[in-house]
Amino acid sequence: PDEKNFALQRVGDVSLFVAGFLGEGLTTKLVGVDNYVSMGGAAYGTLAHNIRGSFRGRAVGDVFTELAEKFSDFVDVLADIRDAARTSHTDVLRLYENWLTTGSTRAARILRSLGIEPTQAPTSDTPN
């Protein structure tokens, strides 16, 4: 159980890092940022459940529960930190693609601050 819980925490931690700091580069990859968000949130949720009732669970179980429930919000916080460290302009198209893929409130907020109202692209079912 300890090894499994260590692995779950590692999956959650790495997923949070990748989605938060490297998420923009994943829009054209086979495994997108939405997969990392799902995987990381699920890993933290399972970990919180597994350690419930143990000494470790009493100490940090609520932290893992919150990480699981608000995973995409924490990804947005890390992305804000990443963007604050940048010196170049925001890649608006990549930001929009990120919003389309994940529905990120952070991406929508930045797009709006740039004067762009994010909307869903028309589907093939939409009449012309």
Side-chain angles (χ1 to χ4, degrees):
D2 289 340
E3 287 180 28
K4 180 179 178 182
N5 290 336
F6 176 79
L8 286 167
Q9 183 175 347
R10 181 82 172 146
V11 168
D13 294 347
V14 170
S15 296
L16 184 59
F17 177 84
V18 169
F21 287 116
L22 309 175
E24 279 186 353
L26 299 174
T27 57
T28 60
K29 303 295 182 196
L30 183 61
V31 178
V33 69
D34 54 325
N35 294 98
Y36 283 95
V37 169
S38 296
M39 185 172 38
Y44 282 140
T46 302
L47 175 59
H49 176 77
N50 287 354
I51 64 175
R52 188 179 33 154
S54 69
F55 176 78
R56 184 175 184 212
R58 288 187 296 277
V60 294
D62 289 343
V63 172
F64 292 121
T65 298
E66 186 172 5
L67 282 165
E69 292 172 352
K70 300 177 182 176
F71 193 87
S72 62
D73 294 332
F74 288 113
V75 167
D76 285 348
V77 169
L78 292 180
D80 280 340
I81 293 168
R82 176 200 64 216
D83 289 346
R86 283 189 178 167
T87 57
S88 64
H89 290 76
T90 304
D91 181 349
V92 177
L93 181 58
R94 187 174 290 170
L95 188 63
Y96 184 75
E97 289 173 343
N98 177 281
W99 176 81
L100 279 174
T101 305
T102 66
S104 166
T105 57
R106 176 193 157 276
R109 179 176 30 85
I110 294 171
L111 287 167
R112 285 187 185 101
S113 75
L114 295 170
I116 299 168
E117 183 60 38
T119 59
Q120 291 290 338
T123 64
S124 58
D125 298 339
T126 304
N128 294 337

